[in-house]
């Protein structure tokens, strides 16, 4: 039977309400996107005996979700229909926060919308705020219910009101879709523990080590400080459970079509809460096959594409973001209009910090020249710091081509950003350090990693000045490359590491809590020097975002990375029509002359758009200076 005939039968088995005006719109969307849905589901489950019933059930669920979608969200969908790339606007600026740390709870968040809007942020990522198990929760990523908020933060109705309030200010909302695993306290897991076979099949449960060992030999340890291996013995369940991350996070078994349908239901629920962007967490780990790394397998992509097609039917305006912290050569495979339109840009983040440590921009320049271009209709999310650790995700081939030993260089960067390297300006902590392999990632706030903590500690005015310039340098690059700049709230005030997490037994073993800290709304919680630094950083970032919104060329213009000879200067141009700007980022403790770089035309005058200063090709660029320049006519 042809797939169009099969999908037609599946659609035909849905019983619409005779008088419901939404049916025509829903059926039209089904006709457009159901072929893609069929193709992806057939790749995953086409050999299942009940495949046709799966299609019918999914489309029936989609109609129910579409029918229950509020009138305001339907209007929102229609408004976005003519602008389905709303996220690509030059005015788009992202922010990310933990509700509890930033505002206490969801109701408190309403009190700070003016602050968020004042920064220029119009896409806000609310970090995991769903119910989790008591005690350890991996920062909210061990979900016990996708349909209940953490009671300490408020209710689901509070979340709806917050999203509505943000929408009223033109601010879109992003929520995590944690699809690889649930908490062991989730209803499905509790039923599996109780022996219900239907729910045991939702997970990977094994009575002995035979099957786990068949998988384990080709897997890597994600959290080596937590345990060796990807399987945990659960005494109550009398089974070995697949737990890629923490022992209390049970991996879902997507080889079971019932799991896809169940998680599709959770996705549709979140869409109807009003979410604009779903962040697909740990996307690379979702599909398992023996003899592989179980990371980034082809069917992991197929899985997301099936979710994408279903969402286009029942929640047309919702975009997807991939959290794929994988090798640079693999990141692009997750990004397309048929999978995830948005993607984090871990490569530029990592090579930006690498350039700060080395005062050498070659790896950063190479990554932008070779690995920045995206498919049409897609966008990077450029960040310098997030809730997670920093891993050194540059490409080994790129490093070798520049005469850099990648393993040794990662070791140097780990030593530098944990302060072990003599002369380092950074105050960071190791995360998940593997003493056998030497692998490690880095925790710390952006300000502490850039040297502000050290400068304030020793009252070193030059170190403080340099740290602030380094922060502007990184945020400036993130804001001018195109894509969406993303600010971890707190960085705009230069918040420093908070080491008090070590006193909390639920957090003490996770150094990422050193930078997951409460917002400071009271000036008395900072000393004078820190307050002055915070005010300067805030003004610089706010001004940067304001300039970006005024100049479309900084986001949509053609990007050309310049190959100037200096290892200390990254430069690129952006051109749109007759408008061109040149971005100059200087990674050095010392002044340098632009004359030898060939970046600017020696016959012309230029104006730095951040400061208004007139410069020429013969000007000196200061230590850690960031400039955005355009041609300037001499008025004399």
């Amino acid at each position: 039977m042809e797939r169009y005939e099969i999908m037609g039968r599946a659609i035909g088995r849905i019983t619409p309400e005779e008088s419901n005006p939404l049916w025509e719109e829903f059926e039209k969307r089904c006709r457009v996107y159901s072929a893609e849905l069929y193709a992806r589901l057939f790749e995953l489950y086409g050999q299942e005996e009940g495949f046709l019933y799966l299609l019918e059930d999914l489309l029936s669920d989609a109609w129910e979700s579409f029918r229950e979608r509020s009138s305001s969200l339907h209007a929102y969908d229609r408004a976005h229909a003519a602008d389905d790339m709303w996220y690509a606007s030059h005015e788009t600026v992202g922010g990310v926060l933990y509700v509890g740390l930033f505002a206490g709870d969801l109701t408190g968040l309403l009190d700070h919308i003016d602050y968020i809007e004042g920064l220029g942020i119009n896409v806000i990522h609310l970090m995991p705020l769903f119910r989790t198990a008591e005690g350890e929760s991996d920062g909210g990523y061990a979900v016990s219910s996708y349909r209940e908020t953490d009671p300490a933060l408020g209710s689901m109705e509070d979340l709806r009101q917050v999203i509505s309030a943000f929408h009223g200010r033109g601010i879109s909302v992003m929520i995590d879709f944690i699809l690889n695993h649930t908490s062991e306290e989730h209803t499905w897991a509790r039923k599996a523990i109780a022996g219900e076979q239907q729910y045991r099949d939702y997970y990977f449960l094994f009575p002995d080590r035979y099957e786990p060992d068949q998988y384990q030999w080709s897997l890597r340890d994600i959290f080596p400080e937590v345990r060796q291996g990807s399987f945990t013995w659960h005494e109550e369940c009398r089974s070995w459970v697949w737990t890629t991350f923490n022992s209390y996070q049970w991996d879902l078994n997507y080889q079971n079509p019932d799991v896809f349908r169940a998680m599709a239901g959770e996705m549709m629920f979140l869409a109807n809460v009003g979410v604009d962007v779903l962040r697909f967490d740990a996307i690379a780990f979702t599909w398992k096959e023996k003899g592989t790394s179980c990371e980034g397998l082809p069917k992991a992509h197929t899985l997301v594409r099936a979710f994408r097609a279903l969402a286009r039917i029942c929640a047309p305006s919702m975009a997807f973001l991939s959290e794929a912290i994988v090798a640079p050569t693999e990141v692009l495979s997750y990004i397309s209009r048929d999978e995830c339109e948005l993607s984090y840009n871990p490569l530029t983040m990592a090579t930006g910090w690498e350039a700060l440590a080395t005062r050498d921009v070659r790896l950063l320049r190479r990554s932008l020249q070779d690995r920045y271009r995206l498919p049409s209709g897609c966008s990077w999310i450029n960040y310098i710091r997030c809730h997670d650790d920093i891993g050194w995700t540059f490409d080994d081939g790129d490093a070798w081509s520049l005469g850099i030993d990648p393993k040794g260089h990662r070791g140097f960067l780990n030593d530098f950003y944990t302060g072990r390297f003599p002369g380092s300006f950074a105050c960071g902590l190791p995360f998940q350090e593997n003493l056998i392999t030497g692998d490690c990632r880095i925790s710390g706030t952006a300000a502490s990693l850039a040297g502000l903590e050290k400068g304030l500690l020793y009252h070193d005015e030059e170190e403080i000045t340099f740290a602030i310039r380094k922060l502007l340098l990184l945020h400036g690059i993130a804001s001018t490359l195109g894509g969406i700049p993303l600010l971890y709230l707190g960085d705009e005030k230069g918040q420093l590491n908070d080491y008090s997490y070590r006193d909390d037994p639920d957090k003490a073993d996770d150094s990422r809590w050193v930078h997951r800290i409460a917002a400071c709304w009271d000036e008395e919680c900072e000393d004078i020097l820190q307050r002055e630094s915070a005010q300067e950083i805030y003004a610089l970032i706010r001004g940067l975002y304001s300039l970006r919104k005024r100049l479309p060329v900084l986001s949509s213009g053609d990007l050309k990375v310049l190959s100037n000879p200096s290892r200390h200067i990254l430069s690129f141009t952006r051109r749109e029509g007759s408008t061109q700007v040149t971005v100059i980022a200087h990674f050095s403790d010392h002044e340098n002359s632009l004359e030898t770089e060939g970046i600017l035309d020696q016959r012309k005058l230029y104006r730095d758009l951040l400061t208004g200063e007139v410069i020429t090709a013969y000007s000196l660029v200061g230590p850690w200076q960031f400039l955005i320049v355009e041609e300037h006519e001499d008025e004399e």
Side-chain angles (χ1 to χ4, degrees):
M1 188 181 296
E2 293 292 331
R3 67 181 182 182
Y4 295 103
E5 183 181 349
I6 292 174
M7 291 307 296
R9 279 181 54 187
I11 296 169
R13 293 197 182 191
I14 304 172
T15 305
E17 298 175 11
E18 293 293 334
S19 60
N20 196 321
L22 294 173
W23 172 254
E24 182 179 350
E25 183 178 350
F26 176 80
E27 186 178 29
K28 180 180 179 181
R29 301 200 71 80
C30 276
R31 300 293 177 188
V32 173
Y33 296 110
S34 60
E36 171 71 6
L37 178 62
Y38 172 91
R40 301 313 165 197
L41 290 175
F42 190 83
E43 287 182 54
L44 299 173
Y45 309 116
Q47 305 310 310
E48 296 287 333
E49 185 177 344
F51 179 64
L52 179 57
Y53 295 109
L54 171 65
L55 293 176
E56 293 172 0
D57 290 340
L58 279 170
L59 290 176
S60 179
D61 293 344
W63 164 240
E64 186 70 15
S65 175
F66 192 78
R67 185 177 62 81
E68 292 179 353
R69 197 161 169 80
S70 70
S71 58
S72 61
L73 288 177
H74 279 300
Y76 200 67
D77 290 337
R78 296 182 191 109
H80 277 70
D83 183 24
D84 65 348
M85 288 176 55
W86 58 268
Y87 47 81
S89 167
H90 67 282
E91 296 189 354
T92 304
V93 173
V96 56
L97 58 85
Y98 279 99
V99 172
L101 293 173
F102 185 78
D105 57 22
L106 286 161
T107 302
L109 193 57
L110 295 171
D111 297 330
H112 298 294
I113 290 182
D114 286 345
Y115 178 85
I116 292 169
E117 187 179 26
L119 269 169
I121 290 170
N122 48 25
V123 177
I124 191 73
H125 176 194
L126 305 181
M127 293 294 292
L129 39 70
F130 301 110
R131 182 184 288 277
T132 61
E134 294 293 328
E136 292 182 307
S137 67
D138 190 25
Y141 284 93
V143 176
S144 297
S145 172
Y146 297 89
R147 304 195 181 207
E148 298 174 84
T149 56
D150 179 346
L153 299 179
S155 66
M156 189 59 72
E157 183 54 37
D158 292 332
L159 177 58
R160 289 189 177 92
Q161 290 180 10
V162 165
I163 291 176
S164 178
F166 275 123
H167 283 178
R169 299 289 191 94
I171 300 173
S172 301
V173 177
M174 184 191 308
I175 295 288
D176 291 86
F177 187 43
I178 303 163
L179 76 162
N180 179 70
H181 48 262
T182 73
S183 160
E184 64 181 342
E185 297 298 321
H186 193 282
T187 299
W188 302 338
R190 298 314 300 171
K191 288 182 177 180
I193 292 169
E196 294 188 37
Q197 190 60 47
Q198 175 187 351
Y199 293 98
R200 290 181 65 86
D201 292 341
Y202 272 39
Y203 302 96
F204 293 90
L205 305 180
F206 306 100
D208 54 43
R209 284 294 309 188
Y210 179 77
E211 287 289 313
D213 288 344
Q214 296 294 305
Y215 284 102
Q216 186 62 65
W217 73 269
S218 56
L219 305 179
R220 68 184 176 101
D221 293 341
I222 304 302
F223 289 162
E225 289 183 355
V226 175
R227 68 175 194 285
Q228 298 291 312
S230 297
F231 298 87
T232 300
W233 175 256
H234 194 280
E235 185 64 30
E236 190 178 357
C237 197
R238 303 300 300 169
S239 300
W240 287 94
V241 185
W242 197 318
T243 54
T244 295
F245 296 98
N246 290 289
S247 297
Y248 49 82
Q249 291 167 299
W250 289 19
D251 285 36
L252 288 163
N253 178 13
Y254 281 99
Q255 294 173 12
N256 177 358
D258 290 342
V259 171
F260 180 86
R261 183 187 176 193
M263 288 301 291
E266 305 308 291
M267 179 191 74
M268 290 185 280
F269 175 83
L270 293 175
N272 281 359
V273 172
V275 175
D276 300 277
V277 182
L278 280 184
R279 173 190 178 273
F280 274 62
D281 179 65
I283 192 174
F285 297 89
T286 50
W287 194 269
K288 276 74 166 170
E289 292 177 9
K290 287 181 184 177
T292 74
S293 66
C294 297
E295 294 183 44
L297 299 182
K299 287 187 177 179
H301 296 280
T302 304
L303 188 70
V304 179
R305 288 177 176 236
F307 280 119
R308 173 72 278 172
L310 187 62
R312 285 216 164 97
I313 292 171
C314 60
S317 61
M318 190 166 65
F320 286 3
L321 163 68
S322 73
E323 191 250 354
I325 310 303
V326 295
T329 53
E330 298 175 16
V331 171
L332 285 175
S333 66
Y334 294 86
I335 311 170
S336 76
R337 293 298 301 275
D338 294 327
E339 193 165 339
C340 292
E341 304 96 325
L342 303 172
S343 176
Y344 287 123
N345 185 3
L347 178 58
T348 301
M349 180 273 296
T351 51
W353 287 106
E354 185 271 346
L356 281 192
T358 61
R359 285 75 163 173
D360 186 336
V361 303
R362 289 179 299 157
L363 263 179
L364 174 58
R365 182 189 292 146
R366 174 67 60 83
S367 73
L368 295 177
Q369 288 173 329
D370 297 347
R371 306 187 188 280
Y372 195 75
R373 191 175 302 278
L374 284 179
S376 176
C378 299
S379 183
W380 288 116
I381 289 188
N382 297 316
Y383 63 107
I384 73 166
R385 170 77 271 178
C386 69
H387 71 287
D388 225 335
D389 55 275
I390 293 176
W392 305 113
T393 55
F394 56 80
D395 183 74
D396 286 5
D398 289 350
W400 283 120
S401 72
L402 296 170
I404 300 169
D405 170 15
K407 182 176 176 59
H409 198 50
R410 290 187 177 96
F412 157 72
L413 292 170
N414 287 331
D415 286 345
F416 188 93
Y417 281 105
T418 55
R420 299 168 183 168
F421 189 83
S424 169
F425 50 71
C427 294
L429 297 178
F431 175 69
Q432 294 299 328
E433 187 168 21
N434 189 322
L435 298 179
I436 297 174
T437 65
D439 291 339
C440 172
R441 281 109 74 190
I442 301 298
S443 298
T445 68
S448 288
L449 294 178
L452 186 59
E453 181 176 335
K454 189 173 181 180
L456 290 170
L457 178 65
Y458 293 105
H459 295 271
D460 185 329
E461 291 188 7
E462 182 179 73
E463 191 78 67
I464 293 170
T465 298
F466 283 4
I468 293 172
R469 289 184 180 182
K470 290 168 192 169
L471 291 172
L472 176 62
L473 198 66
L474 294 181
H475 284 294
I477 292 171
S479 298
T480 55
L481 282 175
I484 302 171
L486 179 71
L487 176 74
Y488 187 86
L489 270 296
D491 281 356
E492 81 284 1
K493 292 183 175 180
Q495 282 191 291
L496 305 179
N497 289 346
D498 182 354
Y499 301 97
S500 64
Y501 79 95
R502 293 166 172 163
D503 300 326
D504 184 338
D506 292 331
K507 299 176 179 177
D509 294 331
D510 187 342
S511 67
R512 292 173 298 180
W513 288 105
V514 79
H515 57 255
R516 299 171 178 172
I517 52 182
C520 175
W521 299 109
D522 184 352
E523 288 190 350
E524 293 183 2
C525 68
E526 302 168 333
D527 62 31
I528 294 175
L529 271 177
Q530 187 175 349
R531 186 160 62 248
E532 290 175 350
S533 299
Q535 291 169 348
E536 185 175 353
I537 294 167
Y538 178 90
L540 288 171
I541 291 178
R542 186 178 180 184
L544 184 65
Y545 291 162
S546 177
L547 177 63
R548 184 181 187 276
K549 289 172 182 282
R550 296 198 308 270
L551 284 180
V553 68
L554 292 178
S555 176
S556 55
D558 291 334
L559 175 70
K560 180 181 180 182
V561 181
L562 303 179
S563 298
N564 48 289
S566 174
R567 292 187 177 190
H568 302 303
I569 296 178
L570 173 74
S571 58
F572 54 88
T573 60
R574 300 211 66 119
R575 177 186 291 276
E576 187 173 49
S578 60
T579 302
Q580 176 174 304
V581 297
T582 302
V583 175
I584 301 170
H586 181 219
F587 288 78
S588 174
D589 298 290
H590 308 288
E591 287 185 338
N592 275 298
S593 172
L594 290 174
E595 181 180 1
T596 60
E597 304 303 322
I599 298 171
L600 302 178
D601 190 323
Q602 297 179 359
R603 299 165 298 177
K604 297 179 179 179
L605 293 175
Y606 296 86
R607 181 169 60 94
D608 179 13
L609 299 177
L610 289 170
T611 64
E613 180 182 356
V614 175
I615 65 171
T616 71
Y618 304 100
S619 295
L620 294 175
V621 58
W624 305 106
Q625 190 171 4
F626 179 76
L627 306 97
I628 305 172
V629 304
E630 67 175 357
E631 288 186 29
H632 175 70
E633 296 293 333
D634 189 354
E635 297 176 356
E636 294 185 358

